[in-house]
Amino acid sequence: MRQEFDPVTQQLVQSMINHVNRSTGVIASGKLPISVQHTSFYVYCSPNERRQCHENLKGLQAAGLLKCHWHPRVLEEFETLKQIDIPSGKRLLEELGVRSRAEIVAYANSTLRNLRCGVDWIDYKIKEISERWRAGAKYLLLGPEHIEEVVIGFTVAKKIASEPIAGRCLEALSIDWFGSPNTIAENARVIALICQSQLHSKVIELDAKDQLASIGICENSPLIQVHGAVHLNCTNGTSIDASSHPVVAMAVESVESLSLREGRPLDYVLTMEDPVCYQRYVHQVQDNGLVLYVGAFPTKKFLRLYKALVDQLGADVPLFHWGDIDLGGFRSLLSLQNKIKNREIKPFQMGAENMRSPSAEARPLQVQKLRKIAYGCEGAVRQVLAELLELPEERRLESSQRQMPIQAPLCALDLSAKLDARQA
């Protein structure tokens, strides 16, 4: 819009534009009623705001863009609008510098058609959005005016459907695909909406960055990082003995499977969410456990590798997950748990007793969503969540595990058992 008005006039003018500017074409002329239903912002504005609005409308009326009709004055000291006539919808848009919505929709749908690529879930999403736009509606929060962001979303969708991410982090992918390190991050919400059918069901309620992590687009390199006595069997036919190295990190697409070393059963398996915590752990703890870094949220390929690994373990090998004390940490745990329904994964260092001193920017725990998780699960996860939810409101804050003291799960269990025995 070429002209700048006060907020009330701005909304009135926008209402007039919306009244004549339809996805099917520009209406020749129209009448905008002034009422609580259509223009409540005007009805409830202050006398001074209303006077300023009327003054601005005089100029538009003098230019022949509208005609104001007024209520008869009774007790009020000022005029009150009853209706605004719009003699020519086309001229109103031209004078205000507003594009025809029909043109925008036609251009957007033409652009969408050119994005078809033969991948079923992508072409279905294009069809779905196009139909919504042709009907004059938005697709969720996306309208035809967002076509540039939608193109970015579908570009990412086609890339993840056709080429391996190969260990590249979010910024590296953004530079390779768009020539800018920030394009993917700036459009993460739209990309997640476009790729919604490919996201893990447990990640839908999380932030857009966690949603992208579930399809392998991570802020840090989406590598599978392993510390312990297993072999990484690669897609090129080679095999790497992880026990010969402090840490082995590979692009997850390059790993076909994980297999146990013969004659050396594992004592436990621990998955970890935080990269700093993981690096501290593998440096400080030297035992016969297997430690896997899962990142912000485990990808589908990681989940398949994890399930195949757990299927090789004896029933007596305990499984643990160490994540942040927040919705994302427990959602990650549940995504792992749902992949291996016949075994329990216990939350480690994620209980009420592990809460860190809150920082100034610490956010409140999402109590209702965590309570919903607790109702839908059992065992150790439910117990830990119940304890968190019983904390006083001022202590129910999200807690990062980055600076937690490092200890191994089995040592922690031994210490807990000794304390319990002393109390008994």
Side-chain angles (χ1 to χ4, degrees):
M1 197 180 299
R2 290 174 186 158
Q3 290 180 261
E4 289 294 330
F5 302 102
D6 62 279
V8 175
T9 308
Q10 190 82 15
Q11 291 181 80
L12 262 183
V13 171
Q14 188 61 56
S15 296
M16 288 186 279
I17 291 170
N18 295 342
H19 188 69
V20 299
N21 196 14
R22 310 289 179 84
S23 59
T24 53
V26 180
I27 293 176
S29 62
K31 300 178 186 296
L32 178 68
I34 305 299
S35 65
V36 173
Q37 180 181 359
H38 296 97
T39 54
S40 60
F41 55 87
Y42 172 85
V43 174
Y44 296 120
C45 71
S46 69
N48 286 336
E49 289 173 325
R50 192 172 294 185
R51 290 189 185 95
Q52 179 65 51
C53 173
H54 296 170
E55 195 64 32
N56 286 326
L57 291 178
K58 286 180 183 178
L60 297 175
Q61 181 165 278
L65 300 181
L66 55 87
K67 182 178 181 181
C68 296
H69 296 271
W70 308 91
H71 284 290
R73 286 197 189 187
V74 184
L75 300 176
E76 297 93 339
E77 297 179 359
F78 48 83
E79 295 178 314
T80 301
L81 277 168
K82 179 180 181 181
Q83 177 179 294
I84 298 177
D85 291 349
I86 306 166
S88 171
K90 182 178 179 182
R91 183 158 176 256
L92 177 71
L93 298 187
E94 288 175 349
E95 290 295 325
L96 294 175
V98 177
R99 285 183 64 193
S100 159
R101 190 163 182 83
E103 293 176 1
I104 296 173
V105 171
Y107 170 77
N109 278 326
S110 173
T111 303
L112 280 181
R113 285 194 297 273
N114 293 332
L115 292 172
R116 293 173 182 166
C117 60
V119 177
D120 289 345
W121 67 270
I122 295 177
D123 289 353
Y124 177 81
K125 183 68 70 174
I126 289 173
K127 179 174 179 288
E128 194 176 13
I129 295 175
S130 183
E131 288 175 350
R132 295 285 294 170
W133 287 356
R134 277 198 297 269
K138 290 188 175 185
Y139 176 79
L140 300 178
L141 300 175
L142 301 174
E145 64 275 13
H146 300 112
I147 186 60
E148 292 183 1
E149 296 98 312
V150 169
V151 168
I152 291 171
F154 278 113
T155 300
V156 172
K158 290 195 286 186
K159 290 291 187 181
I160 65 172
S162 62
E163 68 176 69
I165 291 175
R168 288 172 290 174
C169 66
L170 183 149
E171 287 193 6
L173 292 171
S174 192
I175 291 171
D176 288 349
W177 293 347
F178 300 103
S180 165
N182 303 317
T183 301
I184 292 179
E186 291 171 351
N187 295 275
R189 182 187 63 84
V190 173
I191 295 168
L193 286 175
I194 299 298
C195 299
Q196 196 169 49
S197 65
Q198 304 304 296
L199 303 178
H200 192 285
S201 60
K202 299 297 181 187
V203 83
I204 298 300
E205 295 180 338
L206 302 182
D207 293 340
K209 69 173 186 177
D210 292 326
Q211 294 180 10
L212 295 188
S214 77
I215 54 177
I217 301 177
C218 310
E219 288 184 307
N220 301 303
S221 297
L223 304 173
I224 180 169
Q225 299 189 45
V226 181
H227 173 78
V230 292
H231 286 277
L232 288 82
N233 305 309
C234 305
T235 54
N236 64 2
T238 61
S239 180
I240 298 174
D241 183 356
S243 65
S244 301
H245 308 274
V247 173
V248 173
M250 294 185 64
V252 70
E253 303 100 324
S254 302
V255 181
E256 186 66 34
S257 64
L258 301 173
S259 57
L260 303 179
R261 287 188 60 191
E262 293 184 8
R264 191 176 177 184
L266 297 171
D267 290 339
Y268 65 89
V269 175
L270 172 65
T271 47
M272 300 185 70
E273 174 185 337
D274 186 87
V276 174
C277 204
Y278 171 80
Q279 292 175 16
R280 293 176 59 225
Y281 187 97
V282 299
H283 175 72
Q284 296 181 36
V285 177
Q286 304 299 321
D287 59 13
N288 196 36
L290 175 64
V291 190
L292 303 169
Y293 168 66
V294 301
F297 196 89
T299 64
K300 292 181 179 179
K301 179 63 179 292
F302 181 93
L303 291 172
R304 289 197 293 271
L305 293 172
Y306 183 74
K307 180 183 184 305
L309 172 72
V310 172
D311 287 344
Q312 302 172 52
L313 298 175
D316 58 337
V317 179
L319 309 174
F320 301 94
H321 178 72
W322 187 353
D324 288 338
I325 302 177
D326 60 14
L327 183 63
F330 286 99
R331 285 289 189 195
S332 291
L333 190 158
L334 289 182
S335 70
L336 295 163
Q337 182 67 76
N338 289 352
K339 202 68 180 176
I340 50 161
K341 297 180 180 178
N342 59 329
R343 300 279 294 268
E344 181 184 25
I345 303 175
K346 295 181 179 180
F348 178 61
Q349 303 276 68
M350 297 175 69
E353 70 279 7
N354 304 117
M355 297 284 279
R356 308 294 295 159
S357 298
S359 59
E361 63 275 7
R363 299 183 300 181
L365 285 172
Q366 299 184 49
V367 173
Q368 295 303 323
K369 292 180 179 179
L370 290 175
R371 184 171 284 122
K372 185 177 178 181
I373 292 176
Y375 285 144
C377 61
E378 54 187 21
V381 177
R382 182 167 187 166
Q383 181 181 344
V384 165
L385 284 170
E387 293 171 357
L388 287 172
L389 295 171
E390 288 176 0
L391 289 172
E393 183 177 354
E394 65 273 12
R395 290 193 57 208
R396 289 202 303 257
L397 300 172
E398 293 182 353
S399 180
S400 168
Q401 301 303 282
R402 182 158 291 190
Q403 298 182 54
M404 279 288 289
I406 296 298
Q407 61 178 327
L410 298 187
C411 293
L413 288 176
D414 287 344
L415 177 61
S416 177
K418 289 176 182 177
L419 289 173
D420 289 343
R422 287 177 186 172
Q423 292 174 357

